Amino acid sequence: MSDGGMWMQERLVPAGQQSTRRQPPVWSADVSQRKLLQMPGAALPFPPLKVLSNGQPCVLFQARKLSLRYERQKQLDLTERAFSPQKPVDTSQSVCRQDKATLVMRFGDVEDLRGLSIRLQLSNTFYESSGQWWFSMESVSLLYNTSEEAVFNVSEVYAPASSSYHCLHVSSLQRHSALLLPSTDHARRWAITFTNFQIQAFNVTSGKFSPASDCATFMTPAILMGLITSLILLLVLAYALHMVIHLKHIEHDDEHKADIYLPQNPEQPEHCCMENVTEKNIL
């Protein structure tokens, strides 16, 4: 047992033993759609929460706001309880290993909830396809009232192990992309939102976040609507050009038709034809 009740395991997990796990993208970090950026250190009201192992931080976690809501009840703001240095949250049940990390924040009694805890489960896996280690958040759990638990599976929260992960919202709400997916009946009654979420595990070297792999994608709804609008305008322009070219082609054909004449038979005199026409008119 080490400081804060943490364990550190020095064993590396062979890549061949990871085949049953959820696979991250096969591309490497330099061609990922995620952007690497350095988060400003003074942007948030509280410093990152640090989980220690052997006196050294092994997990860093930070959010501008951490809120919970049970059905239609009042929203609970746990930001200060989670990150305030004056009243540090209990993280003694957290665990750090080479391939697994569990961040447990024990808040005690909050409003009508007894023994509220939030648990973040992370894993670290080496993938030969990208030639590097990737960490991902597997689940978020709410434990309360001694035996009740709300579990959320986590979607698309991953980053190279040499980076931190940042996202404006990690939430169960659809308006925030719903990266947290309820997996139990209890979880469907809860709404949980981390605002300006950032986390790093497994490779914390200086006590500060490494440059972040950001969840912001290039194909946002606004960009998608812009592309669709541009495509429609291009189609309208192409149709208009086609019609202009088609009209010019018709006008050109009409000019050629006006110049067409029927050639006369050189063996037949012109006056004989005129006589034939006159005879037909008399008859």
Side-chain angles (χ1 to χ4, degrees):
M1 183 73 67
S2 59
D3 294 349
M6 303 306 303
W7 293 90
M8 176 62 72
Q9 180 175 316
E10 301 298 335
R11 175 176 58 88
L12 290 179
V13 180
Q17 297 181 7
Q18 308 298 330
S19 58
T20 59
R21 294 189 179 181
R22 178 173 58 86
Q23 296 290 324
V26 298
W27 53 80
S28 57
D30 57 333
V31 295
S32 172
Q33 292 182 352
R34 299 176 183 273
K35 299 182 295 181
L36 290 181
L37 50 93
Q38 181 64 50
M39 298 303 299
L44 300 183
F46 298 110
L49 177 65
K50 297 180 181 180
V51 175
L52 303 178
S53 175
N54 296 325
Q56 299 296 323
C58 63
V59 176
L60 297 178
F61 174 54
Q62 191 174 40
R64 179 180 294 276
K65 185 177 181 180
L66 167 54
S67 60
L68 304 176
R69 185 191 296 276
Y70 183 77
E71 293 184 337
R72 297 183 180 274
Q73 296 185 11
K74 181 180 68 174
Q75 179 175 282
L76 299 177
D77 188 343
L78 301 177
T79 310
E80 186 172 356
R81 288 174 177 260
F83 303 106
S84 175
Q86 285 72 33
K87 298 179 180 179
V89 68
D90 181 6
T91 59
S92 60
Q93 293 186 354
S94 302
V95 177
C96 284
R97 300 189 180 95
Q98 184 66 34
D99 63 332
K100 291 285 185 181
T102 304
L103 171 59
V104 180
M105 296 177 287
R106 301 174 66 187
F107 298 97
D109 296 340
V110 180
E111 300 290 341
D112 297 331
L113 302 173
R114 300 187 308 276
L116 174 65
S117 296
I118 297 180
R119 182 175 63 205
L120 280 62
Q121 185 68 50
L122 302 104
S123 65
N124 193 29
T125 308
F126 181 79
Y127 291 95
E128 295 181 353
S129 57
S130 60
Q132 61 182 332
W133 290 83
W134 290 73
F135 82 87
S136 60
M137 192 163 71
E138 303 291 338
S139 65
V140 174
S141 302
L142 305 178
L143 300 95
Y144 56 99
N145 296 344
T146 307
S147 60
E148 296 186 59
E149 183 176 12
V151 181
F152 296 85
N153 293 328
V154 182
S155 171
E156 303 300 324
V157 176
Y158 53 80
S162 59
S163 306
S164 62
Y165 172 87
H166 172 264
C167 196
L168 182 58
H169 293 102
V170 174
S171 173
S172 61
L173 300 176
Q174 289 296 331
R175 67 173 179 267
H176 296 318
S177 300
L179 298 180
L180 305 181
L181 308 174
S183 63
T184 64
D185 291 335
H186 284 299
R188 293 182 179 89
R189 300 174 183 176
W190 283 93
I192 179 171
T193 299
F194 300 93
T195 303
N196 213 343
F197 175 98
Q198 188 168 10
I199 194 167
Q200 183 174 359
F202 309 109
N203 283 287
V204 181
T205 57
S206 62
K208 297 181 180 179
F209 285 114
S210 299
S213 178
D214 198 88
C215 70
T217 60
F218 295 105
M219 193 59 65
T220 62
I223 294 177
L224 182 61
M225 289 303 298
L227 291 176
I228 293 176
T229 303
S230 300
L231 179 61
I232 293 174
L233 292 175
L234 286 175
L235 291 176
V236 172
L237 179 61
Y239 179 75
L241 290 175
H242 170 74
M243 292 303 297
V244 169
I245 294 174
H246 183 65
L247 290 175
K248 288 185 175 180
H249 181 71
I250 293 176
E251 181 180 350
H252 184 69
D253 288 346
D254 290 341
E255 291 177 355
H256 278 283
K257 288 180 179 178
D259 297 335
I260 294 177
Y261 64 94
L262 296 176
Q264 296 181 358
N265 189 341
E267 298 180 356
Q268 184 177 9
E270 181 177 356
H271 67 276
C272 70
C273 296
M274 296 297 297
E275 290 178 354
N276 292 335
V277 173
T278 303
E279 291 177 358
K280 289 181 179 180
N281 291 335
I282 295 174
L283 294 177

